[in-house]
Amino acid sequence: MLKKITTGLAAVAATTALALALPAAAYASSPDDHSEYWGPVYAKHHQAKAQGWVGVDWDHDGESNEVTVRGRLWDLDDRTYRHGGKCAFVKFEASDFDHDWSPVSYKKYCGYPGSKPFHFQEHDVFSLRAKVCQIGPHSNYPVKCGPWQYIYTAESE
């Protein structure tokens, strides 16, 4: 009798687990979709930093995509502006499927010791890279940039 009850409970548990798993599987991303965390990416001398998340959604044919980038930009320069302090600046470039690069987004943040969130979307991206710099509070010219860091490339999928 105890064996029949145990077997019955095991069957109910397995059926319940399967029923709960099916709706989740229906919303799972296709194998061509991609997401990961990127960074941190630093300016020269580590006076500014950016990091975040990148997600890529491909169409059903695998010929077009939409890239979503979310992140935060930190101003790590504790000097006053009068003593040479600068703001944080991050810029992004994307290459299309012909490998032509173009700027797609940038963000500036002044506010040591804080940070500011940012996000953007771009279509038909083969590769995406980020560079973090510093910039004067009233300037349009970034300085003290770190190197470009790739945060996504279709080759890695």
Side-chain angles (χ1 to χ4, degrees):
M1 179 74 162
L2 185 58
K3 188 175 181 179
K4 287 183 181 180
I5 292 173
T6 305
T7 304
L9 288 175
V12 169
T15 305
T16 303
L18 181 61
L20 292 174
L22 285 178
Y27 293 106
S29 62
S30 72
D32 292 332
D33 291 345
H34 175 85
S35 70
E36 67 182 335
Y37 290 96
W38 58 268
V41 180
Y42 288 96
K44 190 174 184 180
H45 307 301
H46 290 237
Q47 295 294 312
K49 172 178 93 167
Q51 69 184 60
W53 174 87
V54 59
V56 181
D57 292 322
W58 287 87
D59 67 1
H60 295 301
D61 299 326
E63 296 176 356
S64 179
N65 64 18
E66 179 178 78
V67 175
T68 302
V69 175
R70 298 184 190 285
R72 292 192 83 78
L73 177 62
W74 282 267
D75 180 357
L76 303 175
D77 192 343
D78 63 353
R79 299 172 297 170
T80 65
Y81 299 132
R82 194 162 41 143
H83 290 106
K86 297 196 177 357
C87 304
F89 182 84
V90 62
K91 59 184 173 178
F92 295 89
E93 288 185 350
S95 72
D96 58 20
F97 295 107
D98 293 326
H99 305 287
D100 295 323
W101 289 96
S102 59
V104 293
S105 183
Y106 67 91
K107 182 62 99 181
K108 177 179 178 178
Y109 176 65
C110 303
Y112 174 83
S115 66
K116 184 174 191 173
F118 61 84
H119 74 277
F120 66 91
Q121 292 181 320
E122 191 66 26
H123 294 277
D124 298 330
V125 173
F126 182 78
S127 293
L128 183 68
R129 61 188 181 183
K131 181 184 278 196
V132 177
C133 307
Q134 288 189 280
I135 192 168
H138 305 292
S139 176
N140 292 325
Y141 302 102
V143 296
K144 299 183 181 177
C145 296
W148 283 109
Q149 183 171 329
Y150 284 80
I151 63 173
Y152 167 75
T153 182
E155 288 177 341
S156 66
E157 290 188 28

